[in-house]
């Protein structure tokens, strides 16, 4: 299942926005190196064509491509990041917010 917002991820249910972002950030930091490289390559594949379009554009076309870039980048990369981090989120959440300590 793809999630476009951290609010819908079952492993993060019951946490506020700051806590969800903290869990996602720490989980992303713990991803294995090959997974991080794959994620960064995907981001480059998204950004490169749009930046080339911006560089070749003139006038108001630049604004349109910049808006497209600002919309498409998070819409594509966030679900991928959430999907790659999701298997480790429960462990990170328990480590951060364990109330039995």
């Amino acid at each position: 299942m793809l999630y476009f917002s951290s609010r819908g991820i079952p492993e993060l249910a019951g946490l506020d926005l700051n806590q969800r972002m903290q869990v996602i950030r720490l989980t992303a930091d713990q991803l294995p190196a090959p997974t991080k490289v794959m994620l960064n390559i995907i981001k480059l594949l998204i950004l490169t064509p749009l930046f080339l379009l911006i560089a070749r554009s003139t006038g108001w076309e630049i604004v349109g491509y910049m808006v497209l870039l600002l919309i498409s980048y998070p819409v594509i990369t966030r679900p991928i990041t959430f999907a790659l981090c999701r298997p480790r989120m429960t462990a990170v959440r328990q480590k951060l917010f364990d109330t039995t300590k």
Side-chain angles (χ1 to χ4, degrees), residues 7-57:
R7 193 177 307 146
I9 300 173
E11 289 83 358
L12 303 178
L15 298 177
D16 64 30
L17 177 63
N18 290 332
Q19 292 171 328
R20 289 193 310 262
M21 289 300 111
Q22 189 177 8
V23 171
I24 292 168
R25 202 172 307 118
L26 287 174
T27 306
D29 289 343
Q30 293 178 2
L31 287 174
T35 306
K36 286 183 185 180
V37 169
M38 181 183 66
L39 184 59
N40 288 330
I41 289 172
I42 291 169
K43 290 177 183 180
L44 277 173
L45 290 174
I46 296 166
L47 291 174
T48 302
L50 290 173
F51 277 121
L52 289 173
L53 285 173
I54 291 170
R56 293 177 183 228
S57 300

